[in-house]
């Protein structure tokens, strides 16, 4: 139960990623993917206030990165 967004970045690019939902406890992961293998570079549960998530990340190298959006509790879904 997650959705992925792809983001191409140059080395040193910085991003603020915020996930808000009134339906579930938001959870964000930032990382890379090699085939089906996801490697987490950062994650957050509640830094966005209340049950919202927020990450401030910097791309360590040029390439494609993955933002994984989900709920903290497995199987929980809803709009965000």
């Amino acid at each position: 139960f997650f959705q992925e967004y792809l983001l191409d970045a140059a080395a040193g690019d910085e991003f603020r990623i915020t996930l808000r939902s009134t339906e579930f406890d938001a959870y964000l992961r930032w990382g890379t993917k090699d085939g089906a293998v996801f490697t987490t570079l950062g994650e957050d549960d509640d830094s966005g206030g209340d049950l919202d998530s927020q990450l401030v990340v910097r791309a360590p190298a040029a390439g494609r990165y993955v933002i994984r959006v989900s709920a903290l509790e497995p199987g929980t879904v809803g709009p965000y």
Side-chain angles (χ1 to χ4, degrees), residues 15-69:
F15 302 95
R16 180 183 310 268
I17 306 161
T18 305
L19 174 61
R20 292 186 177 99
S21 177
T22 58
E23 300 293 319
F24 59 86
D25 186 358
Y27 190 69
L28 277 173
R29 283 183 283 169
W30 157 264
T32 59
K33 219 169 167 185
D34 185 7
V37 178
F38 178 78
T39 301
T40 301
L41 299 177
E43 57 191 313
D44 183 74
D45 180 19
D46 294 331
S47 291
D50 294 322
L51 298 178
D52 297 333
S53 300
Q54 187 172 79
L55 283 171
V56 176
V57 297
R58 185 179 309 271
R64 178 161 286 173
Y65 292 87
V66 179
I67 300 166
R68 239 180 213 190
V69 173

